[in-house]
Amino acid sequence: MKKALLLFFLAVFCCVAHVMAQTLIAGKVTSSDDGEPLPGVTVKIKDTKTSTVTDVSGVYSIRASKGQVLQFSYIGYLAQSITVTGVTPVNVKLKTDSRSLNEVVVTAYNVARDKRSLGYSTPTVNGDEVSQTQREDFFGGLQGRVAGLSINSTNGNPGASAQIILRGATSLSGDNNALIVVDGVPINNTTLNQTSQLVTGAANRDQDYSNRAMDINPADIETYTIMKGPEATALYGSAGAGGAILITTKKGKAGATSVNYSTSFRIEKVNKFPEIQQVYNSGSTGGVYSGAVSTYFGPTYLPGTTIYDNMHNFFQTGFSQNHNMSIEGGTDKFTYRWSNEYVDTKGTVPTTTYTRFSSRLTGSAVVSPSLKITTSFNYINSTNNKANKGANGILMELVRFPSNYDVRNYQDAAGNRILHYSTIYSEYDNPLWDVNKDPAQDKNDRFLGNVNVAFTPTKWLAVNGIVGTDVTSTVGTQVYNGQSYKGSGSSTAPTLGSITNYQELTKIFNGSLTATAKANLGIFNGTFIVGGTFHDFNATTNSQYGTHFYDPNFYSIYNTLPTTRNAGIDINRYRNVGAFAQAVFGYKTLLYLTLTGRVDGSSRLMPSINAATGTVADAHPYFSYPSASLAFNFTDLNAVKEALPFLDYGKLRMSYAITGKEPYTEYALGTNYVGANSTGGGYALSVTAGNPDLRPEKSKNFETGIELQFLKNRLGLDFNYYNLNSDGQIIQPRLSYISGFVLELMNGGVVRNRGFEVSLTGTPVQSKDFTWTARANFAHNRGIVLSIANQLPELYNSDTWVIGNIRSGVAPGASIYAVTGTRFDKNNAGQILISPSSGLPTTSDTNFYPIGDRQPLFNLGLTNTFTYKSLSLSFLWDLRYGGDVINGTEYEEYTRGISVKTLDRETPRIITGVLNDGFQNTDHPTANNIAIIPYSNAAYYSTNVSPEMFVERNIKALRLRDVTLSYNFPQSMLNRTGFVKNLGVFFTVTDAILITNYSGTDPESNATNASSGGVGGYGLDYGNVGKPIGFNLGLRVKL
Amino acid sequence: MRKIYKIAAALGILLFATTGCKKYLDINSNPAIPQVVKAELLLPPIEYQMCNGTEQDYTRSLSKLTQNLGGIDALNASTTIWEQHGYPAASDVGGVVWRMVYFDLGINLENMIKDAVANQKYEYAGMGYAIKAWAYQIATDEYGPLNVTDAFTPGQLTFTYQDQPVVYDKIREWGNLAIQYLNMTSPVNYSAQLQGPTGDGIYKGDKAKWKKFVYAVFALQYGHLINKAAFTSSSYADSIAKYTDLSFANETEDATIGFNAASVADANPLGPLNAGSANSGLLNSSTGYGRPTTTILGLLTGGVRGTPTPSPTTSLDPRLSRFLVSGTTNATTSGIYSAIQPCHGSNTTNIPTVLGFLPAGATYYNGKYIFTDKARYPLMTYSELQFVKAEALFIKGDKTNAYTAYINGIKATVDFFNQYGRTAAISDPTIATTELNAYLASTEVAQSAATLTISDIMQQKYIALWGWGGTETWCDLRKYHYSASVYRTYYQLTTSDFASTNGGKYAYRNRPRYNSEYVWNAGELAKWGGLATNYNTLEMWFSQP
């Protein structure tokens, strides 16, 4: 008892003595960048367990003795140590650590990984860099900023869909789009597929529907992390087989509440038009005038004829406005951010608009030291008024429109269509009639919600649970007026207009649970992650179709003839489950080995009753695959450090991964019936045969690269090489109908993608007032189809067969981006055969051969930012080099005599070739000697056409995608206001310059829309309007 | 130790997860559509497709080869090529019956028969085999060799063909199976279903009539073999007489398909409602199809035995005004029946379509004869069989009975019109007996067995089948090798009229469907010479001696 008492007293005494020696140190921690207080900074007394954190105002207080060292640390800032001298307050300015931001990379399911441990490249892009381009869609702003990321938009209209492809297409028929993940939750990025979802079942080419990633407000995005290889996405499994774009949204920052507001206004102008000849009048052939055709092989326009500049008269100046307001703030325990966006875009094509309202609330609460919950809710409402595209879209209508009439006169006083050469049934629409009378609209309401629970029971274990939901409702209408070309039908059976209504409700519900354990064993360290995921996708589309409007100008399904009404329902549902385990073994920070294994379960691989055979196959829904990667941070070796002092950082990496990709469509293992709407109803089998043996596509990827930082991190290089083999391609070839079916989904074919990527980052100039940073991204990819299922000579996408005999098709040995087409008949020596009777070439061989490759040789993106004091100028150059583009617009212009290439029609010429006179395959074929004057023989333009003539080879396009000049008003000036913390103005020009050897308007074009499988209509330019130049002027203010 | 518990617990959860997951994943069937369909609900689309398949090939290909119809769009090579006995390259036109047999009927029909046999729905089994026999008969007469052995084998990608003798045998085998099942009685009565709106659109489930349907197929089949030595020696002719007698007793028993005409897909594809639709319809191109030719006009205006009247406005043949439309546009064409000469239609002529006239203020054409939305679509008729019988007996030498059948046939065409040809919005009057008798007494009709010629029979059959019976008429033309002495008004193509790939020959077969066989089964096609550009001129087995 005595002993105890003594101890007690000793303890109390010592303690008091200890306390007596300490003083209360207080101070404020601010950021050296903007002087803002930094809440949540850890202040720790070195070598003790005593620590505190700064409060909302950046203020802290701690008891410490003289001589002790205070350590200030905060994520994203360089740590500082200050020895206690007894002087108080101790105010600290923390400097941002440009490197430390990159030290931690958020990988799949919000698993944070030390960047040094990653065996693959993970480029990140700052969200503001993208949003400052003022584009409505984030992906448009990402183009050119990441090596290997290719964004191919359908056209330049507001709300246009885009393919988002990383590295290159790997699937011949499946979806090649990258997975879009927002805060750990894969979101809906589908594009409405007319063929399968709508009752009309039309091909995916005459209308466009936005891909749903369009809905996300770019200003809400903090960072983009791009995961390209399958190794990177091994954690997302099948869905991530095409790579993934991980989006981290902005979260509230603790501290005083701040209000941010930014706005910008944009005007847009179409600055590139297709060229048309305005010399020759309409006529079928021989220079004979005909007022009843839309071909222009007639005589020259009579002198004095007024020729209208319809191209310029049609397009309008686009105007948009964009408002973004966010409020954020909070304490160290609780933060919130509420952001709102309103975008209103009026396109350059009359009547086209895109309007979006987005409201997003993110809150984060530290429930207990070990539990943090972050939730976000995002409501988005958007409306897109669209114009028709393709064969009867606005550009082709404009091109075909007679130049001697004014396009602006599209209707008479009674509201009837003004006709110039034929009847409503056979005269193509005036584009202004089309946009005004054939409305097409999509309205979306979308709700995105997600909850992220981070549980850290012990230092070494972190459990992270994410649940997300994404509900999108799209209500759309597509109308053809009864007097429109497409809505009139024929004179014998008039359609009197048609309307398609559709309501799509897509619900995604998904979640993941991961546990990350970290262990250190001396010089060895390990990170072990296990996790499970589920994903539920359910989309129901109801659609209704009706024709024969009673009132020609009232567009409603009620206004149609009841017997013409038809309805359809498409239910697209699938589920996935996944379990994965990952182990990262590290030796110091020098060497890391990551092993990952994943098992996927796919509902699409569950058997369905085979309606054809009545049998049910065995269930094999699971497939698994491993990956391994190695990261070697060789600059951590002393020998390297000494030998290469200029090298700040170096990493060698290598990875090998296998990924499975589930079938791209559901219900495919069994044959399905479809409802018959013919007399008596009933059911008949679908055109597609079920295939119970369907297996996932398998990709095997080998990747290696090096990452280097030189000259005090002023220069960085990242090089990456990969070889990706995608085996067991899921394709849907036609069959001999004797099989009982027209099509079948089957495995067969190998595609190899090989390429390399180089990223260079540098800061050529860095001084007190002036900084110049630059980044270059280079990517080269070759995708080759090594084989397709045995019997198939060619596999094509029928949606892309928009004009002539050209289509997106693949053949063994050709590029996956090949186009196939028919060819002129040739002799054994490859000379073009000329018909001795007409003097024109012939095309009797109806086979399709690979005639072009749309894959660019390389893409180069160059970003430069110059900062002088508060003035900053940044711009992005984007170079696409090589690859073919198919000029379908020119094809139609040429065959109709509208092309400027037909202006020399009065010049006699002899087509180079040999006569098909029986001597063509001898040693002495007869050279063609038949002269033709196309003016008197229009067949020259209609018969003497071969798809190859419109494949424009080796297209180079250098674009100034965007350039932004911004100015921030000096702090000293703002301080006088007392409440404005930040004020800036900016001027941005988008799609400013396009220098190209492509003769059409824009090589970035797609003849289908993003819902088309495989590579779709990429690089097939048919009736697409290029991107207009946009001038944005805006301001941002922070209160 | 605790670690082991933890691992065991984890494994347990995993095991539970995998079994639970399978259940979670088991949603891979389309909730909007039944996965298993009974025979009863497979029948209506099958019957619709029997019409749709034959009609499409008839409209675009066979009606032109037989000169039943033509186009006035001489500039459009893809439509006039058929009048020139050629075919458009790389096209599925003329391949719809191929699709009908193997896909539209195809496994649907097999499944219907399978369900019917397994579940004792004998009337459905009987109808199934009857339809199968009919369909393959239509198909082999259009394309020649077919696959009748291993079609529909799951997983098989290439298929062999069997020649016509094998196919003809198989058809009789299926026909006999049909008779066998139609003679059986199902334990459950399906008559309510069969007579209902999703029932049997041909005979409302009348088994006796379905048997007649099968006998009609048999009669037609033997009728194709007149050039065979066995026709008279092995009494094919007697078989024909027997089967025609077992078959339709009059026009009310004709095999025809009905429509409600409530919507485009529920209307006769030969009618005005379908005239503008993209994939079906007689007038899917307003100028390329659907105009009567000089061949039929000639037969209806004195050309069967004499010389056709030029610019006729009336005819002793009452069928002229009931089948064809006279010009109405202006004084020079008003009341005159005009027709195109095959291969020589032109953009400037204004020949009315078979759809009749456009009533003032109406959206749709009036329709005429069997070219209306509600008209029943004929597959086989009593008059057709009477002419088959007449032909067979004539060849056999039984002129007296041949003559009786011949007169029956002519009378039956009038019955046919009166029964089925009056569904137009404003319909034509029935053909009165007096009109019929006047015609029967005219020089256009053989007045005695002694003066009867094969030309009389075949031309009257041509008239009876005009507008629908493309395959059978084409078989007849091929049997007689387009003889100008049998088909007196058939426009004999000149050398320059023929399509360039024909080598001056008439067409004797259609090529199998392009996107089925030429693209994906070309190896087999090559064995039959099918890749040659003039394969369409190769004569088939049936018409050869």
Side-chain angles (χ1 to χ4, degrees), chain A residues 129-144:
Chain A
E129 188 181 331
V130 171
S131 62
Q132 77 165 13
T133 66
Q134 306 303 325
R135 295 176 201 271
E136 283 77 32
D137 52 314
F138 71 81
F139 39 88
L142 268 180
Q143 172 79 300

Side-chain angles (χ1 to χ4, degrees), chain A residues 493-494 548 563 573 575 603-604 606 608 611-612 622 667 673 678-683 685 734 736-738 740 792, chain B residues 18 21 24-25 27-29 33 41 45 102-103 107-108 111 152 198 259 262-263 265-266 276 363-364 513 516-517 520:
Chain A
H548 295 68
T563 53
R573 57 175 192 180
R575 285 176 181 161
S603 72
R604 287 172 176 175
M606 284 299 283
S608 22
Y622 300 111
Y667 322 141
Y673 280 104
S678 50
T679 308
Y683 296 95
L685 286 167
R734 276 180 176 268
S736 165
Y737 290 10
I738 302 176
L792 303 179
Chain B
T18 24
C21 277
Y24 176 75
L25 294 174
I27 53 160
N28 201 26
S29 51
I33 291 287
L41 297 182
Y102 289 114
F103 170 68
I107 299 174
N108 294 303
N111 281 1
F152 318 126
T198 53
F259 308 90
S263 67
D266 182 25
T363 304
Y364 291 106
R513 191 178 178 92
S516 161
E517 302 305 290
W520 311 112

